[in-house]
Amino acid sequence: MLHLRLITPSGTTDDVVRLIGATVGTAHLVVLPGAARDPAGDLVLCDVAREAADDLLAGLRDLGLDRTGSIAVEGIDLSLSERADQAEEDAPGEGADAVLWEQLSEATHEESTLSVTYLAFITLATMIAACGVVLDNAILIVGAMAVGPEFGPLAGVCTALIQRAPRLALRSLIALLAGFAVAMAVTVGFTYLMDALGQFTRVQLEAERPNTNFIYRPDAFSFVVALLAGVAGTLSLTSSKSGALVGVAISVTTIPAAANAAVAFAYDEYRQAWGSTEQLLLNLAGITLAGTLTLLAQKHLWRRHRTSPPSTTTR
């Protein structure tokens, strides 16, 4: 269940209450006239099943409540109420399968914004991965994958393609491309520094490196794994199971590939640099393709489910 906290202008409150009452899957409606001060208006509270929330939010926006008042949505971890149980049963579909497009847009907007923190994380992750590739240390590679924030902009691109949102697409692409460009440039400088300190050497980079040589040797499995990771990552976002994102992060080779390309470029090892770049592009393309197709499939399946006649159950 989700909890909605709405601030409504007094002239709109009746329309909002009617909309909530007409939405299957709502419960616990509370109206507090004149309780809101900024903006001034009435406070309306209600709970709604996740699978019914997207339609309700769309209706509230059609009433202009996002402009004239406020719409706040919170998750409910525990609700002990027969009325809430009945609302979830009445709502079509399963909550785990429902996509809250407004929530997804908000999440990807935040995660795909080019910021100092984003640049810091992607740069630090690439530098950690650089240590991993030179030392042939798989643990450092996995750690760098977990730190990397690049899935946010990739999810933003997928969402923008489905929702036909050019601004979100542009913002996400800028964050993605600028982030990798800055991270790789700093890692080149980091490589020169570590070489001057005697910690990195060309011999280490050119060694066989059995634990990490896959980074600059892309193959068909690189694209397959990227596709699977793109599906898993998108599902984790739309179902609010963010814990799965860690597994997604450590299953793709974007950050390590960028790091290996930067180190190889610093040592003029262009064969490895090109191989790593291919690995990076394959992973980015695979995740974007899979994420976009996953969102498209979810949108299509949920639309079909909502328009299908409800099944009758015996209680």
Side-chain angles (χ1 to χ4, degrees):
M1 294 289 287
L2 299 173
H3 179 67
L4 268 62
R5 185 180 71 251
L6 312 173
I7 296 178
T8 69
S10 57
T12 311
T13 302
D14 289 343
D15 293 333
V16 170
V17 171
R18 277 194 292 269
L19 175 63
I20 294 173
T23 301
V24 177
T26 59
H28 309 146
L29 175 63
V30 177
V31 180
L32 301 175
R37 293 294 180 267
D38 185 19
D42 304 328
L43 181 63
V44 179
L45 309 173
C46 75
D47 297 340
V48 59
R50 179 182 174 87
E51 52 270 42
D54 197 57
D55 286 340
L56 179 56
L57 291 174
L60 292 172
R61 294 198 68 176
D62 288 341
L63 292 174
L65 202 59
D66 55 326
R67 301 185 301 274
T68 61
S70 171
I71 304 172
V73 183
E74 301 172 329
I76 300 176
D77 294 328
L78 177 63
S79 179
L80 302 178
S81 165
E82 290 187 2
R83 181 67 189 89
D85 294 341
Q86 185 63 49
E88 289 190 314
E89 185 175 331
D90 292 341
E94 295 294 332
D97 297 332
V99 180
L100 296 181
W101 292 100
E102 296 290 346
Q103 184 183 58
L104 180 62
S105 299
E106 185 69 22
T108 51
H109 178 277
E110 182 178 348
E111 295 294 329
S112 62
T113 300
L114 185 62
S115 64
V116 174
T117 301
Y118 170 80
L119 288 176
F121 270 115
I122 195 170
T123 300
L124 290 170
T126 307
M127 292 166 68
I128 293 171
C131 296
V133 298
V134 172
L135 299 176
D136 194 32
N137 189 317
I139 295 177
L140 290 177
I141 294 297
V142 171
M145 290 175 173
V147 172
E150 74 280 7
F151 190 81
L154 287 169
V157 172
C158 298
T159 304
L161 291 175
I162 295 299
Q163 296 192 310
R164 300 177 183 178
R167 288 187 178 181
L168 177 58
L170 180 60
R171 181 186 296 110
S172 301
L173 286 173
I174 289 175
L176 189 67
L177 298 178
F180 273 113
V182 170
M184 293 174 72
V186 172
T187 302
V188 170
F190 176 69
T191 302
Y192 289 144
L193 174 62
M194 295 295 283
D195 183 80
L197 295 174
Q199 301 302 309
F200 285 5
T201 65
R202 179 186 293 271
V203 174
Q204 289 174 300
L205 180 69
E206 294 178 345
E208 182 58 28
R209 290 164 45 200
N211 293 322
T212 58
N213 60 23
F214 68 92
I215 294 172
Y216 59 89
R217 295 175 179 174
D219 54 22
F221 279 106
S222 300
F223 191 67
V224 171
V225 171
L227 289 174
L228 297 175
V231 174
T234 303
L235 290 175
S236 71
L237 283 178
T238 57
S239 64
S240 297
K241 297 185 181 296
S242 57
L245 280 176
V246 177
V248 173
I250 61 177
S251 62
V252 292
T253 326
T254 49
I255 292 293
N260 200 92
V263 175
F265 183 82
Y267 282 115
D268 298 326
E269 180 58 52
Y270 299 120
R271 179 182 63 85
Q272 281 198 38
W274 175 245
S276 301
T277 302
E278 285 184 319
Q279 181 77 269
L280 175 61
L281 295 176
L282 272 176
N283 277 268
L284 294 178
I287 293 173
T288 303
L289 176 62
T292 303
L293 292 178
T294 300
L295 287 176
L296 189 63
Q298 286 181 293
K299 189 173 184 178
H300 175 69
L301 291 174
W302 188 250
R303 183 184 293 120
R304 284 188 59 188
H305 185 84
R306 287 190 306 177
T307 55
S308 61
S311 59
T312 58
T313 57
T314 302
R315 298 189 63 190

